[in-house]
C-alpha cells in the first residue's frame, strides 16, 4: 500500500461527493484506514492521520478513537507532532474525561521548555481544557511564566491565569502581586490580558479592589465603582472626559465609548453622566455600522426603565431603526418602541408601529401584534380608537395574532354599546371585500350575528344600503369558502342562526342553510346544525329567548381589584352581627358562612353555584369574605416564589379553609417580565403518594410580556396525615419561538401549609 491520503486530498474527495451516502462511504473508508494506522503504531504518519481525523470530527462524525494518539503526539519531541497533538487534545478531550489528566506531566515539561512556541501550545491547551486538578498542579508554572517570559508567552499565560482563578478561586492570592506588575506593561496585548486578570480577581475577591484604586481602565473602573459611591465620585470627571474627547471615527474609539457607557450604567454615577451615556448610545444609532446600532439598541433597552426620560428624547431615531432591512435590528427597535409608549405618544407611536407591521418579517409579526394590543389596552385615549386599532391590526397581520385576540376583541366590542352600529358597518364592509384574514372574519361574523339588524335599520353614523339577503349572501360565502377555518365556519353558522330572530323576512332561507349543514363532514359544524334544526322544529317558541343578544360583560378581576379600597370602606361602615346574617337565608342553606370557601377534593369549585347572602353580594373573593368576618387565618401563610428564570416567575399563595384543616388551596400565578409573550404555558404538579392533589383548569395559556397580565391556576392539596409538603413542578411554554421545558422541586413550603 502507498502512503495515506494527505489532508487536502481527503477534503477534496469529500467535497466531490454528490450525495450524503457517498460522503459517508468516503469517511468510513478513511476512518478504517486511520484505525489501522493507529493499531500498527505508524509513527511516521500519525500526525497526518490525526489531522484528517480532526477534520472528520469537525464534520460531525465520531472521532473518539483518536484521543490516545493525541497523548502520544504531545509527548513527541518534534514541534509538528506537538502542535497537532495539542490541537487534537483541545478538540477531542475535556475535563469530564479522565484521559485528559494523562497529559499533565507532558504539559509541565513543555511549560518549562526553552522554546516560547512550545510554551504557548501548552498554555493554550491548559486554558482550554484545564480541570480543577490540572490547574492546581500547573498554577506555579503559570505564575513563573507571568514574571519571566517573552511578551508572546506572557500574553497567553495571563489568559491562562484567568482560567485558573475561575476553576480554583482559592488560588486568587497567588496571582495578586504579579497582576499589579502586569498593569505596568507597555505591550497592549499583555495589558489587555492584565485588565481581564485584575477584573476576575476583583470579582472573585472583592477586598482585593483596594489594591487597584489607581487603575484608570474602564472595565476595571466599572467593577471598582459598583458598590462604592466615593470611587464613583472620584472617577466621574474621568468618565466625562473620555466620553467627550474620544474619537468616534474608528472602531477602537467606539469600543472605548461603549465601555464608558457600561461603566456609567453599572455604577452609581450622577444623573448628568447617565444622560451623557444615553446620548452616546443615541449617536451610535446614527452609525452606518449595523453592529454598532444593534449594540446601542440593546443597551438602551437596559436603560429605558431607569432613565426613561433620557431615552425618550431619542424616540425618533429609534423609530427610524424600524425601517432598516435587518431583522435583528427591527426586533430590538420594536422592543424599545413598545417600552417607550405612554399616554402622550400613543397615537404617533401606534401609527409608526402599524406602518412597520405592514412590511415586517414574518417572525416578528406576532410579537408586533401582541405589543400593539397590549399598548392599546393600557393607553387607549378612547374605546373607539382602541377598537379601530385592533381591527386595523387584524387586517394587516392576518393569522399572526395571539389565539385569544378574537375573544378579547369581542369582549371589548360587546361593552361599547354606543359603537355597535359603527363597528358592525366597518366589519361588514371589510368581509364583503376580503375574507382572507380569518381572525377578523370571526369577529365580523359574531358582530353581524349580534347586531345585524343595525345594518338594515341604518343606525350607524354612515348608513350602509344593504338588504337582509345581502348580509346572508356574505355569510353563506364565508361558509362555502375553502379558505375558511373550522372555527370561522362555526362562528358563521351561529351568526346566521341568530339572524333568524333579527331579520324578519329570511327565516325560511336561514332554515334551509342550517338544514344543509346537518350532514356536513365537519363534526362540530354538523352538531351545531342539528341542534339549530331541532330548535326550529321542536323549540321554535323558545328560539327568540335562546338567541337573544349576549348580555354586557361583567367587570374583570382587575376592575374588582381596583374597587377593593371602596369595598373596604363600605365594610367598615356596615355593622354585621350573626343574627343579621342568619336571618338572610334559611339555616339549611348556610350553616356556616365559612363553608362558602370549602372545596371538595372530588369536584371542581364553582363559586356561582353557591348561594351568597344579598348583604355580601359585592364581596367577590374568599379572602374579602374572611376580612369582613375578621378571620385572619388566610393571611398567616406567606406567598412563595417557586420558579423564576428568564423573566417567567411563578408564585404560590395559600389558603386553608378553617372547617377543613387537611385541605390546602394553592393559587398559582405566573407573570412574565420579559419583552416577548410566553404562549402555550402549562403547569403540571406531582406530590408524594400520601398526599392527594387536583389541578383545576387555568384561566389561559398566554403570559403577556412586560407583566401585562398573569395566568392563574387553582391547585387543591389534601394532606390528612399532615406530612411535610413536597411538590415536583414541570413547566412547558413557547418563548421567543423556542419550546421551553423546565422541572423543579419545591420543598420549602411554609410549615403553616401542612401542620
Amino acid at each position: 500500500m502507498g502512503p495515506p491520503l494527505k489532508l487536502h486530498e481527503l477534503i477534496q474527495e469529500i467535497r466531490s461527493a454528490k450525495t450524503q451516502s457517498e460522503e459517508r462511504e468516503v469517511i468510513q473508508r478513511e476512518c478504517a484506514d486511520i484505525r489501522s494506522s493507529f493499531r500498527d503504531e505508524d509513527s511516521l504518519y500519525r500526525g497526518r492521520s490525526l489531522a484528517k481525523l480532526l477534520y472528520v470530527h469537525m464534520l460531525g462524525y465520531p472521532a473518539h478513537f483518536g484521543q490516545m494518539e493525541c497523548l502520544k503526539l504531545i509527548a513527541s519531541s518534534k514541534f509538528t507532532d506537538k502542535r497537532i497533538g495539542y490541537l487534537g487534545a483541545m478538540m477531542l478531550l475535556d475535563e469530564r474525561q479522565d484521559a485528559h489528566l494523562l497529559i499533565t506531566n507532558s504539559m509541565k515539561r513543555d511549560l518549562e521548555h526553552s522554546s516560547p512556541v512550545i510554551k504557548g501550545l501548552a498554555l493554550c491547551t491548559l486554558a482550554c481544557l484545564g480541570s480543577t486538578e490540572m490547574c492546581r498542579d500547573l498554577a506555579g508554572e503559570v505564575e513563573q511564566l507571568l514574571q519571566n517570559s517573552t511578551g508572546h508567552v506572557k500574553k497567553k499565560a495571563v489568559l491562562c491565569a484567568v482560567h485558573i482563578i475561575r476553576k480554583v478561586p482559592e488560588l486568587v492570592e497567588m496571582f495578586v502581586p504579579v497582576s499589579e506588575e502586569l498593569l505596568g506593561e507597555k505591550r497592549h496585548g499583555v495589558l489587555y490580558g492584565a485588565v481581564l486578570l485584575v477584573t476576575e480577581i476583583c470579582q472573585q475577591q472583592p477586598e482585593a479592589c483596594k489594591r487597584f484604586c489607581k487603575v484608570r481602565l474602564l472595565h476595571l473602573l466599572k467593577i471598582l465603582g459598583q458598590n462604592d459611591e466615593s470611587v464613583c465620585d472620584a472617577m466621574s470627571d474621568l468618565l466625562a472626559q473620555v466620553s467627550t474627547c474620544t474619537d468616534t471615527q474608528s472602531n477602537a474609539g467606539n469600543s472605548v465609548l461603549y465601555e464608558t457607557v457600561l461603566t456609567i450604567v453599572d455604577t452609581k454615577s450622577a444623573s448628568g453622566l447617565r444622560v451623557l451615556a444615553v446620548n452616546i448610545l443615541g449617536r451610535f444609532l446614527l452609525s452606518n455600522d449595523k453592529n454598532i446600532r444593534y449594540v446601542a439598541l440593546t443597551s438602551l433597552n437596559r436603560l429605558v426603565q431607569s432613565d426613561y426620560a433620557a431615552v425618550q428624547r431619542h424616540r425618533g431615531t429609534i423609530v427610524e431603526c424600524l425601517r432598516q432591512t435587518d431583522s435583528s435590528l427591527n426586533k430590538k427597535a420594536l422592543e424599545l418602541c413598545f417600552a417607550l409608549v405612554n399616554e402622550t405618544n400613543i397615537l404617533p407611536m401606534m401609527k409608526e408601529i402599524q406602518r412597520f407591521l405592514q412590511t415586517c418579517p414574518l417572525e416578528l409579526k406576532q410579537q408586533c401584534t401582541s405589543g400593539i394590543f397590549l399598548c392599546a389596552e393600557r393607553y387607549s385615549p378612547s374605546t373607539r380608537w382602541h377598537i379601530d386599532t385592533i381591527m386595523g391590526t387584524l387586517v394587516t397581520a392576518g393569522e399572526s395574532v395571539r389565539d385569544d385576540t378574537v375573544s378579547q376583541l369581542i369582549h371589548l366590542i360587546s361593552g361599547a354599546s354606543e359603537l355597535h352600529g359603527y363597528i358592525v358597518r366597518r366589519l361588514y364592509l371589510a368581509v364583503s371585500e376580503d375574507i382572507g384574514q380569518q381572525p377578523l372574519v370571526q369577529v365580523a361574523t359574531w358582530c353581524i350575528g349580534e347586531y345585524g339588524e343595525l345594518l338594515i335599520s341604518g343606525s350607524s353614523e354612515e348608513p350602509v344600503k344593504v338588504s337582509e339577503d345581502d348580509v346572508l349572501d356574505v355569510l353563506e360565502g364565508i361558509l362555502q369558502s375553502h379558505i375558511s377555518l373550522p372555527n370561522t365556519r362555526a362562528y358563521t353558522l351561529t351568526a346566521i342562526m341568530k339572524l333568524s330572530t333579527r331579520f324578519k323576512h329570511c327565516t325560511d332561507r336561514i332554515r334551509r342553510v342550517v338544514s344543509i349543514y346537518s350532514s356536513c363532514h365537519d363534526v362540530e359544524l354538523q352538531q351545531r346544525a342539528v341542534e339549530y334544526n331541532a330548535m326550529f322544529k321542536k323549540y321554535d317558541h323558545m328560539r327568540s329567548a335562546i338567541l337573544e343578544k349576549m348580555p354586557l360583560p361583567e367587570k374583570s378581576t382587575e376592575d374588582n381589584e381596583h374597587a377593593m379600597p371602596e369595598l373596604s370602606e363600605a365594610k367598615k361602615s356596615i355593622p354585621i352581627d350573626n343574627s343579621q346574617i342568619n336571618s338572610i337565608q334559611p339555616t339549611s342553606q348556610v350553616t356556616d358562612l365559612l363553608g362558602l370557601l370549602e372545596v371538595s377534593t372530588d369536584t371542581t369549585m364553582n363559586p356561582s353555584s353557591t348561594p351568597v347572602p344579598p348583604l355580601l353580594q359585592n364581596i367577590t373573593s374568599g379572602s374579602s369574605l374572611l376580612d369582613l368576618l375578621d378571620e385572619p387565618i388566610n393571611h398567616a401563610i406567606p406567598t412563595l416564589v417557586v420558579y423564576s428564570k428568564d423573566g417567567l416567575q411563578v408564585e404560590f399563595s395559600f389558603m386553608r379553609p378553617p372547617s377543613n384543616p387537611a385541605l390546602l388551596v394553592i393559587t398559582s400565578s405566573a407573570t412574565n417580565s420579559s419583552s416577548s409573550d410566553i404562549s402555550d404555558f402549562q403547569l403540571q404538579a406531582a406530590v408524594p403518594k400520601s398526599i392527594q392533589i387536583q389541578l383545576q383548569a387555568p384561566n389561559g395559556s398566554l403570559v403577556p410580556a412586560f407583566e401585562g397580565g398573569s395566568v392563574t391556576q387553582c391547585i387543591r392539596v389534601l394532606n390528612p396525615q399532615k406530612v411535610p409538603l413536597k411538590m415536583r413542578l414541570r413547566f412547558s411554554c413557547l418563548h421567543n419561538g423556542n419550546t421551553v421545558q423546565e422541572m423543579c422541586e419545591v420543598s420549602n413550603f411554609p410549615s403553616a401549609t401542612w401542620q
Side-chain angles (χ1 to χ4, degrees):
M1 293 180 61
L5 290 176
K6 297 180 180 179
L7 176 59
H8 72 273
E9 294 173 343
L10 174 62
I11 294 174
Q12 185 176 3
E13 188 172 349
I14 291 175
R15 289 181 176 176
S16 64
K18 296 182 180 179
T19 64
Q20 192 172 8
S21 60
E22 289 183 14
E23 177 185 298
R24 283 196 298 267
E25 184 180 348
V26 171
I27 290 176
Q28 289 172 358
R29 183 176 65 249
E30 188 61 32
C31 286
D33 293 342
I34 292 173
R35 282 193 179 94
S36 299
S37 174
F38 288 163
R39 282 196 301 268
D40 297 341
E41 294 292 332
D42 185 0
S43 59
L44 179 62
Y45 295 112
R46 181 177 287 144
R48 179 186 296 183
S49 297
L50 184 59
K52 292 186 292 184
L53 188 61
L54 294 181
Y55 179 72
V56 170
H57 173 71
M58 291 169 60
L59 296 178
Y61 294 90
H64 56 278
F65 57 88
Q67 292 175 351
M68 297 307 298
E69 303 305 314
C70 297
L71 308 183
K72 295 175 183 177
L73 289 172
I74 290 174
S76 172
S77 59
K78 296 172 60 178
F79 170 73
T80 54
D81 287 347
K82 280 186 179 293
R83 181 176 59 181
I84 194 67
Y86 275 123
L87 178 61
M90 286 187 279
M91 294 180 64
L92 302 180
L93 296 176
D94 58 52
E95 59 181 283
R96 292 172 296 181
Q97 300 166 341
D98 294 336
H100 86 283
L101 296 174
L102 300 176
I103 64 174
T104 303
N105 288 332
S106 296
M107 291 178 66
K108 189 178 181 69
R109 288 195 301 270
D110 289 341
L111 289 174
E112 297 172 350
H113 200 278
S114 58
S115 171
V117 181
I118 292 179
K119 290 179 182 177
L121 291 175
L123 288 170
C124 288
T125 307
L126 177 59
C128 180
L129 58 85
S131 62
T132 302
E133 296 82 0
M134 188 182 291
C135 288
R136 283 198 179 97
D137 293 340
L138 301 177
E141 283 73 14
V142 174
E143 183 196 13
Q144 289 297 321
L145 292 176
L146 287 172
Q147 296 175 355
N148 306 304
S149 62
T150 63
H152 170 78
V153 174
K154 195 175 290 187
K155 180 170 59 176
K156 297 179 182 297
V158 71
L159 296 177
C160 193
V162 173
H163 175 76
I164 292 174
I165 291 176
R166 289 174 179 170
K167 300 297 291 185
V168 193
E170 57 265 28
L171 296 179
V172 167
E173 287 295 337
M174 176 187 292
F175 294 98
V176 170
V178 70
S179 62
E180 291 182 292
E181 298 175 6
L182 290 173
L183 290 172
E185 281 282 345
K186 299 194 181 299
R187 287 163 291 199
H188 71 277
V190 179
L191 184 59
Y192 178 75
V195 173
L196 294 179
L197 179 59
V198 172
T199 302
E200 192 65 33
I201 290 173
C202 292
Q203 289 177 333
Q204 297 286 350
Q205 194 179 74
E207 57 270 18
C209 292
K210 299 177 182 178
R211 305 187 62 166
F212 302 102
C213 288
K214 295 182 180 179
V215 179
R216 295 192 173 188
L217 297 171
L218 294 172
H219 194 67
L220 183 57
L221 288 178
K222 180 175 66 175
I223 302 298
L224 296 175
Q226 278 181 344
N227 300 307
D228 194 331
E229 292 187 8
S230 61
V231 174
C232 292
D233 295 338
M235 65 185 183
S236 59
D237 291 340
L238 172 65
L239 293 174
Q241 183 178 359
V242 172
S243 301
T244 55
C245 299
T246 302
D247 179 24
T248 59
Q249 302 301 318
S250 62
N251 285 334
N254 288 327
S255 300
V256 171
L257 281 176
Y258 179 62
E259 195 64 48
T260 305
V261 170
L262 294 182
T263 304
I264 293 172
V265 170
D266 292 340
T267 57
K268 298 179 180 179
S269 301
S271 59
L273 272 181
R274 299 183 71 87
V275 172
L276 181 59
V278 173
N279 291 340
I280 292 173
L281 295 175
R283 293 204 304 271
F284 281 179
L285 292 177
L286 301 174
S287 172
N288 294 325
D289 191 325
K290 294 180 180 179
N291 295 324
I292 293 177
R293 292 203 299 270
Y294 183 86
V295 166
L297 290 169
T298 304
S299 303
L300 288 172
N301 267 309
R302 290 179 53 194
L303 285 168
V304 69
Q305 299 298 330
S306 58
D307 299 274
Y308 182 80
V311 179
Q312 188 73 248
R313 297 191 189 100
H314 300 277
R315 190 178 71 231
T317 312
I318 295 168
V319 169
E320 285 294 325
C321 293
L322 290 176
R323 302 188 178 98
Q324 303 295 325
T325 56
D326 190 291
S327 60
S328 59
L329 285 178
N330 295 154
K331 179 178 174 61
K332 288 297 179 182
L334 186 63
E335 294 173 0
L336 191 52
C337 284
F338 284 132
L340 293 175
V341 174
N342 56 31
E343 295 89 345
T344 59
N345 62 26
I346 178 71
L347 297 180
M349 287 295 287
M350 285 299 102
K351 184 178 179 181
E352 292 291 345
I353 294 174
Q354 286 188 313
R355 184 181 301 165
F356 167 71
L357 180 62
Q358 296 174 0
T359 58
C360 77
L362 184 61
E363 64 269 18
L364 294 182
K365 279 199 171 183
Q366 186 167 8
Q367 178 187 352
C368 187
T369 56
S370 299
I372 290 174
F373 296 156
L374 183 60
C375 291
E377 183 179 356
R378 285 184 178 178
Y379 307 117
S380 63
S382 66
T383 305
R384 177 166 177 167
W385 181 90
H386 190 180
I387 294 173
D388 285 343
T389 299
I390 296 182
M391 289 195 298
T393 303
L394 288 179
V395 171
T396 306
E399 306 294 328
S400 303
V401 295
R402 300 186 321 210
D403 295 338
D404 60 344
T405 301
V406 172
S407 59
Q408 288 183 355
L409 181 53
I410 289 175
H411 185 276
L412 181 64
I413 290 173
S414 61
S417 55
E418 72 282 0
L419 297 173
H420 287 166
Y422 164 75
I423 294 168
V424 75
R425 170 187 169 275
R426 274 204 62 183
L427 290 172
Y428 173 77
L429 293 176
V431 296
S432 298
E433 298 173 359
D434 179 22
I435 61 171
Q437 314 298 345
Q438 292 294 290
L440 183 69
V441 175
Q442 292 169 12
V443 176
T445 53
W446 184 91
C447 288
I448 293 172
E450 287 292 316
Y451 317 118
E453 73 279 5
L454 299 179
L455 283 171
I456 308 303
S457 62
S459 299
S460 59
E461 295 178 3
E462 299 177 15
V464 180
K465 293 181 180 180
V466 62
S467 65
E468 295 179 358
D469 286 324
D470 292 336
V471 177
L472 289 175
D473 288 342
V474 171
L475 294 180
E476 284 190 54
I478 296 172
L479 269 178
Q480 297 166 6
S481 174
H482 68 281
I483 65 174
S484 294
L485 298 175
N487 267 357
T488 307
R489 289 191 172 97
Y491 271 101
T492 307
L493 187 63
T494 302
I496 292 176
M497 186 63 189
K498 285 196 169 189
L499 290 179
S500 67
T501 63
R502 275 72 161 164
F503 290 173
K504 300 177 181 179
H505 309 295
C506 294
T507 305
D508 291 337
R509 178 179 176 180
I510 291 173
R511 185 185 289 111
R512 288 195 301 271
V513 172
V514 171
S515 177
I516 291 172
Y517 285 91
S518 298
S519 57
C520 178
H521 293 295
D522 187 330
V523 177
E524 170 69 19
L525 205 59
Q526 182 189 90
Q527 180 180 351
R528 287 175 184 253
V530 169
E531 292 171 353
Y532 295 157
N533 235 350
M535 196 181 300
F536 274 120
K537 295 177 180 178
K538 298 181 180 179
Y539 308 103
D540 196 57
H541 61 288
M542 301 172 58
R543 183 162 49 88
S544 297
I546 294 173
L547 299 177
E548 66 181 8
K549 290 182 180 179
M550 296 289 289
L552 291 178
E554 298 178 358
K555 288 187 177 181
S556 65
T557 305
E558 293 181 0
D559 296 334
N560 290 332
E561 290 175 356
H562 290 309
M564 287 306 295
E566 298 175 9
L567 290 177
S568 301
E569 293 298 323
K571 175 187 70 173
K572 296 177 183 178
S573 62
I574 301 176
I576 297 177
D577 57 78
N578 291 334
S579 61
Q580 182 184 9
I581 294 175
N582 290 333
S583 65
I584 296 171
Q585 286 187 333
T587 307
S588 60
Q589 293 185 6
V590 185
T591 56
D592 181 6
L593 281 175
L594 294 179
L596 294 174
L597 300 176
E598 291 187 15
V599 183
S600 168
T601 58
D602 300 323
T603 59
T604 302
M605 183 173 68
N606 184 5
S608 61
S609 64
T610 307
V612 182
L615 181 64
L616 303 177
Q617 285 179 353
N618 288 332
I619 306 301
T620 57
S621 67
S623 61
S624 301
L625 180 60
L626 291 178
D627 287 343
L628 191 66
L629 297 177
D630 296 323
E631 178 63 62
I633 186 169
N634 291 334
H635 301 288
I637 307 179
T639 59
L640 177 66
V641 176
V642 297
Y643 181 83
S644 181
K645 184 178 179 182
D646 297 332
L648 175 63
Q649 178 171 298
V650 180
E651 184 178 66
F652 280 3
S653 57
F654 310 97
M655 188 266 291
R656 296 181 68 180
S659 57
N660 190 357
L663 179 65
L664 174 67
V665 180
I666 303 175
T667 301
S668 167
S669 177
T671 57
N672 173 21
S673 61
S674 70
S675 58
S676 56
D677 291 339
I678 295 177
S679 58
D680 299 337
F681 177 77
Q682 289 185 346
L683 165 65
Q684 295 175 303
V687 292
K689 293 182 179 180
S690 60
I691 303 175
Q692 297 181 22
I693 187 171
Q694 183 183 39
L695 276 73
Q696 292 188 354
N699 66 342
S701 62
L702 181 78
V703 192
F706 304 113
E707 297 184 352
S710 63
V711 171
T712 58
Q713 187 171 7
C714 182
I715 305 173
R716 297 179 290 180
V717 178
L718 189 64
N719 186 7
Q721 300 179 16
K722 296 187 177 181
V723 298
L725 181 59
K726 293 183 179 181
M727 190 177 293
R728 180 167 293 175
L729 303 174
R730 184 166 69 180
F731 308 96
S732 62
C733 61
L734 190 66
H735 193 197
N736 291 325
N738 300 319
T739 301
V740 180
Q741 288 188 342
E742 293 285 346
M743 184 177 293
C744 67
E745 186 166 327
V746 184
S747 57
N748 59 335
F749 284 95
S751 58
T753 59
W754 52 272
Q755 287 182 348

